[in-house]
């Protein structure tokens, strides 16, 4: 089986060394490259085609927000993106999630949490910390929430069950946990999630949850 490939992007060499050591201790993960700034991400992604980019959210030349936005705009079949940060309640993190990042990790996370997070997004799930995302939405979501966000939600015309699934997604529940909560099959939940994403025009669960907060469909409180 081919290993899961990762590109590390951080302006602190010691952080990159630490992340490499943690990830390469796993037999199924290979770090295929490193960069010290977001400006170097595009050529490296084109050259190396990593499955996941683990990227610092704050960097001197091009930060993680703009790098995420550029990758998703210019790369066909882009990699998954996880941003790393020192502080969870960081406007840069919210900006990166809005730009399309699949989730975030704290630099103080335990090695097992980092490995789990990288594997999770590689499998197509979103890496959300419900309490942290609620705090981010409470702090910054209102600044971005507007009539356009509400219009998107209204036009989506979610069914009652789809709305229920979206609210559970916003709580950070996985498909299996949502299935157990609603007493339905996991495949049924996957179908509802796919429908929600399609109706909202969302790239992934993270984008759907942000849309739910910014439109007022879900309250941070």
């Amino acid at each position: 089986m081919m290993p899961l490939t990762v590109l590390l992007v951080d302006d602190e060499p010691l952080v990159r060394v630490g992340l490499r050591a943690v990830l390469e201790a796993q037999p199924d993960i290979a770090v295929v490259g490193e960069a010290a700034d977001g400006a170097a991400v595009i050529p490296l992604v084109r050259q190396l085609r990593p499955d996941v980019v683990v990227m610092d959210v704050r960097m001197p030349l091009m930060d993680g927000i703009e790098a995420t936005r550029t990758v998703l705009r210019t790369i066909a079949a882009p990699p998954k993106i996880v941003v790393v940060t020192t502080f969870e309640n960081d406007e840069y993190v919210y900006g990166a999630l809005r730009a399309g990042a699949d989730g975030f990790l704290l630099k103080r996370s335990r090695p097992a949490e980092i490995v789990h997070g990288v594997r999770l997004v590689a499998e197509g799930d979103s890496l959300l910390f419900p309490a942290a995302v609620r705090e981010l939405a409470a702090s910054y979501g209102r600044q971005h929430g507007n009539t356009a966000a509400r219009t998107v939600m209204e036009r989506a015309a979610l069914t009652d069950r789809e709305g229920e699934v979206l609210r559970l997604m916003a709580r950070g529940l996985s498909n299996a946990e949502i299935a157990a909560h609603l007493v339905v099959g996991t495949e049924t939940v996957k179908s509802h999630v796919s429908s929600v994403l399609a109706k909202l025009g969302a790239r992934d669960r993270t984008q759907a949850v942000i849309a739910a907060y910014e439109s007022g469909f879900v309250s941070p409180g």
Side-chain angles (χ1 to χ4, degrees), residues 9 35 53 56 77 83 85 89 94 105 107 111 114-115 138 168 176 184 187-188 206:
V9 186
V53 177
D56 189 12
V83 293
T85 180
N89 193 17
Y94 194 74
L105 284 166
K107 290 187 178 183
I114 293 171
V115 171
L168 294 172
V184 297
E187 292 303 316
T188 299
T206 303

Side-chain angles (χ1 to χ4, degrees), residues 74-182:
T74 62
I75 301 293
K80 301 294 185 179
I81 299 175
V82 178
V83 293
V84 291
T85 180
T86 303
F87 306 105
E88 59 263 49
N89 193 17
D90 185 340
E91 187 171 7
Y92 274 73
V93 172
Y94 194 74
L97 295 176
R98 291 188 84 246
D102 297 280
F104 70 95
L105 284 166
L106 298 177
K107 290 187 178 183
R108 64 176 181 271
S109 296
R110 293 174 298 175
E113 293 171 334
I114 293 171
V115 171
H116 174 69
V118 168
R119 286 185 176 137
L120 194 65
V121 297
E123 292 166 0
D125 212 336
S126 293
L127 185 59
L128 288 175
F129 298 90
V133 172
R134 280 197 295 271
E135 289 177 10
L136 287 168
S139 298
Y140 309 115
R142 294 190 185 94
Q143 299 172 19
H144 300 285
N146 49 39
T147 302
R150 290 191 292 274
T151 299
V152 168
M153 187 61 66
E154 290 168 2
R155 288 179 177 172
L158 301 181
T159 65
D160 290 343
R161 178 47 61 93
E162 288 167 349
E164 194 171 9
V165 168
L166 179 55
R167 290 186 178 93
L168 294 172
M169 287 164 58
R171 285 171 50 186
L173 272 65
S174 67
N175 286 346
E177 290 167 335
I178 293 173
H181 184 87
L182 298 178

Side-chain angles (χ1 to χ4, degrees), residues 1-7 23-24 26-32 49-54 80 114-123:
M1 185 175 67
M2 295 293 291
L4 169 63
T5 57
V6 178
L7 171 65
L23 294 173
E24 291 201 325
Q26 306 301 311
D28 61 330
I29 298 178
V31 176
V32 293
R49 303 303 300 180
D51 298 308
V52 179
V53 177
V54 178
K80 301 294 185 179
I114 293 171
V115 171
H116 174 69
V118 168
R119 286 185 176 137
L120 194 65
V121 297
E123 292 166 0

